[in-house]
Amino acid sequence: MTFTYSVSPQDWLGIAPIVVLVLMVLLTMSVDLLLPHAGKRSKHSGPANFAVLPIVALVGVLLALAVTIALFFIEHPASAFNNMIGSDNGTLYAYLIILIAGGLGVLLSPAYLKRLNLVHQGEYYALMLLAMTGMLLMAGATNFAIVFVGLEIFSLALYILCSFIDQRPTSQEAGMKYFLLSSFASAFLLYGISLIYAATGHTSFIDIQSFVATHSHGHAPLLLLTGMALLTVGFAFKVSAVPFQSWTPDVYQGAPAPVTAFMSIGTKVAALLAFVRVFGFMLSSVQNDWMPVVWGIAVLTIVAGNLMALGQSNIKRMLAYSSIAHGGYLLIGIVVSGAGQRHIGASAILFYLSCYLFMNIGAFGVISLLERRDNSGYELAELRGLWYRNPWLAGLLAFFLLALAGFPPMVGFAGKYYLFYAALVGGHPELLIIGILASVLGIYYYLRFIATMFMEGREGIRGTGRGESYGTARPEVPVTPTRRPIRNAVPAASSVTAVAERPLPTKVTSPVIRTSEPEPTRELEWMSWLALGIAALGTLVVGIILPFWLPTIQQAAQQLMR
């Protein structure tokens, strides 16, 4: 059998956002080579300017966004490269979410890298763009080969980004843990793909869908059933679903805050789009075999995620368990898509992800301004009285936490409303009830941090000193003007002096306190504040305006498998 295929310009048009990101990766690395370095150039040095490379990376993201938006209005095929990757409206909508998350992550990075003195900027921003590229590939994949390629591209980039702070043991631990556990998940996914190929003889979603509908007779054969089980494990790991969530709190806590903000959104979008394509569309004819398993994982993830978040005193870990719970809510859309309402389920997932994007990145953006070099600054005790030290940061963090809790009129309420409505329409009122009860439970741990910032710790609050991050107070330590501490004090009334003391100088200058922390970087923090402003605006606008466009979103979701 021979196979001949020629690439057309329409194929390149369909993946234009991905092409733009790949070209910008090369440009970012080239600019990094040309920028002047401070001092002698070596593997431990980097460009002295911390603003050029993020601007180059941000331009790449904006260009990819512009191309994606243009594709909504330009006639182009719904799939490209022999139906291996989709370019329909549903895929383009997912592209927008990933690119906005990546752009906000880039904006949060310059001040963070400067404050922690991380000089390898070229690698950092190139890896961010590569991670976005892999996520776009996986989100648009309509062939198992592209699913695995996209998964490996963004996973390899995130392994390095999570362990990017080489002076921080928790960052190294986060990268290693994510690498080891993600490798196991990738192996499960690849083995499941191979078994499905052995059972059907195809890797294309459309061909597998036709084969299963013709030969399954309502139930999958054993080989296909085993492949489906292995795929469930692989996708559940990327969504941080219970019982495959153990990596999430440690990785979220140890990774740099801007990386955590970006990956908490991007990995979910990529994995859930592939998840809903495979189970909600491709394997819809054998839904009775996989739906009880996904239903159980969804319920377990919702309940366990909220329960484990209750006792957290570290806001990064609390948001990690919150992310697990939100992943469980999103799995409701997968269950609904398999219950004969696949377009409603897919549109609910897309809308909820667009809501989750702004409020979650906003919360981690505030943390990026609070985080110190030793990975502290955001414990519950350290956030006490933040309102009195920095009301802007406290107000923004409270705003995003209330949105995550689901208070109207912010996006959290609109996203949950549409997702629970989809569960009701899809014939799963029990998921609606469980979701509402879990959301009420989740309000407690969000309000706990808000109450600590606003209602505690007003006494003894002192502004930040040199070398500390925004809004974080250290205990006051008296500083003496002497060069070394006095071990044995001599009574003033004693007339006998054993050792002559050198008198102190008459004019004492203020001592220079040297710490291992770099000085705060105010000149780059406008980028972080811009990202927080965009996230806050999106948290309001998406929750108030976008619900009026839900029919359009549903129509876009209906094209996911065309």
Side-chain angles (χ1 to χ4, degrees), residues 149-169:
V149 169
L151 174 67
E152 289 304 299
I153 289 176
F154 81 74
S155 295
L156 288 171
L158 289 178
Y159 298 153
I160 304 172
L161 287 172
C162 288
S163 59
F164 203 78
I165 309 175
D166 54 357
Q167 307 95 343
R168 182 188 294 175

Side-chain angles (χ1 to χ4, degrees), residues 256-340:
V259 174
T260 305
F262 164 59
M263 70 179 292
S264 66
I265 305 298
T267 54
K268 277 185 169 54
V269 177
L272 282 163
L273 261 291
F275 206 154
V276 74
R277 273 195 169 103
V278 171
F279 285 88
F281 291 84
M282 188 185 81
L283 299 173
S284 58
S285 58
V286 290
Q287 56 181 299
N288 294 329
D289 293 326
W290 60 261
M291 189 187 293
V293 177
V294 178
W295 186 95
I297 292 175
V299 172
L300 189 61
T301 303
I302 292 171
V303 175
N306 282 291
L307 287 177
M308 288 186 288
L310 288 176
Q312 299 302 316
S313 61
N314 182 298
I315 194 170
K316 252 190 172 182
R317 295 185 71 86
M318 184 274 286
L319 288 174
Y321 286 113
S322 166
S323 176
I324 293 170
H326 284 282
Y329 298 139
L330 286 162
L331 288 177
I332 293 176
I334 306 292
V335 176
V336 172
S337 67

Side-chain angles (χ1 to χ4, degrees), residues 362-363 365-367 369-370 383 385-401 450 453-454 470-472 525 528-530 532-534 536-537:
V366 175
I367 293 173
L369 290 174
L370 295 172
L383 293 175
L386 181 62
W387 167 253
Y388 304 104
R389 301 194 304 274
N390 196 317
W392 282 103
L393 282 182
L396 282 171
L397 184 55
F399 175 77
F400 293 124
L401 292 180
I450 296 174
M453 290 188 296
F454 283 80
Y470 251 142
T472 309
E525 283 176 353
S528 298
W529 285 103
L530 177 60
L532 291 177
I534 295 172
L537 183 63

Side-chain angles (χ1 to χ4, degrees), residues 331-410:
L331 288 177
I332 293 176
I334 306 292
V335 176
V336 172
S337 67
Q341 301 288 339
R342 61 185 186 180
H343 302 311
I344 294 179
S347 60
I349 290 173
L350 286 173
F351 179 65
Y352 194 91
L353 286 170
S354 62
C355 297
Y356 186 63
L357 158 69
F358 293 105
M359 54 188 179
N360 202 59
I361 281 195
F364 278 109
V366 175
I367 293 173
S368 72
L369 290 174
L370 295 172
E371 186 174 310
R372 299 194 195 103
R373 186 166 185 164
D374 60 353
N375 201 18
S376 63
Y378 46 80
E379 290 284 345
L380 191 63
E382 294 170 308
L383 293 175
R384 183 172 290 115
L386 181 62
W387 167 253
Y388 304 104
R389 301 194 304 274
N390 196 317
W392 282 103
L393 282 182
L396 282 171
L397 184 55
F399 175 77
F400 293 124
L401 292 180
L402 289 174
L404 286 166
F407 282 89
M410 293 172 282

Side-chain angles (χ1 to χ4, degrees), residues 29-311:
M29 297 300 291
S30 301
V31 172
D32 182 42
L33 290 174
L34 298 175
L35 285 176
H37 287 218
K40 184 179 179 181
R41 184 184 292 262
S42 69
K43 66 178 181 179
H44 301 295
S45 66
N49 192 316
F50 278 77
V52 174
L53 288 170
I55 290 175
V56 173
L58 187 61
V59 168
V61 175
L62 292 176
L63 287 175
L65 271 172
V67 171
T68 303
I69 294 172
L71 288 176
F72 279 102
F73 306 100
I74 298 176
E75 184 177 354
H76 65 281
S79 61
F81 290 94
N82 198 30
N83 293 324
M84 295 189 74
I85 184 167
S87 58
D88 50 79
N89 288 345
T91 301
L92 295 178
Y93 190 86
Y95 284 4
L96 290 177
I97 300 174
I98 294 172
L99 291 172
I100 292 173
L104 293 177
V106 169
L107 278 175
L108 291 171
S109 298
Y112 187 90
L113 296 181
K114 181 68 178 295
R115 189 168 68 248
L116 272 66
N117 196 28
L118 300 175
V119 296
H120 297 285
Q121 304 170 63
E123 297 94 316
Y124 179 90
Y125 293 110
L127 289 169
M128 288 279 283
L129 294 175
L130 280 174
M132 290 179 229
T133 303
M135 292 169 185
L136 295 187
L137 280 172
M138 188 173 181
T142 55
N143 189 294
F144 275 124
I146 302 299
V147 168
F148 190 72
V149 169
L151 174 67
E152 289 304 299
I153 289 176
F154 81 74
S155 295
L156 288 171
L158 289 178
Y159 298 153
I160 304 172
L161 287 172
C162 288
S163 59
F164 203 78
I165 309 175
D166 54 357
Q167 307 95 343
R168 182 188 294 175
T170 53
S171 180
Q172 302 296 303
E173 179 188 351
M176 182 58 68
K177 183 171 290 188
Y178 188 43
F179 168 70
L180 292 175
L181 296 180
S182 182
S183 298
F184 280 110
S186 298
F188 276 102
L189 189 67
L190 184 59
Y191 196 26
I193 291 172
S194 65
L195 290 180
I196 288 181
Y197 175 74
T200 63
H202 302 284
T203 58
S204 172
F205 292 175
I206 296 177
D207 294 334
I208 295 174
Q209 183 184 26
S210 301
F211 182 91
V212 173
T214 305
H215 297 84
S216 63
H217 305 293
H219 290 281
L222 180 60
L223 193 60
L224 180 61
L225 191 64
T226 307
M228 289 161 51
L230 294 175
L231 284 179
T232 304
V233 173
F235 285 132
F237 178 89
K238 290 301 178 184
V239 181
S240 302
V242 177
F244 311 105
Q245 87 298 341
S246 60
W247 62 276
T248 309
D250 293 332
V251 172
Y252 278 30
Q253 181 181 1
V259 174
T260 305
F262 164 59
M263 70 179 292
S264 66
I265 305 298
T267 54
K268 277 185 169 54
V269 177
L272 282 163
L273 261 291
F275 206 154
V276 74
R277 273 195 169 103
V278 171
F279 285 88
F281 291 84
M282 188 185 81
L283 299 173
S284 58
S285 58
V286 290
Q287 56 181 299
N288 294 329
D289 293 326
W290 60 261
M291 189 187 293
V293 177
V294 178
W295 186 95
I297 292 175
V299 172
L300 189 61
T301 303
I302 292 171
V303 175
N306 282 291
L307 287 177
M308 288 186 288
L310 288 176

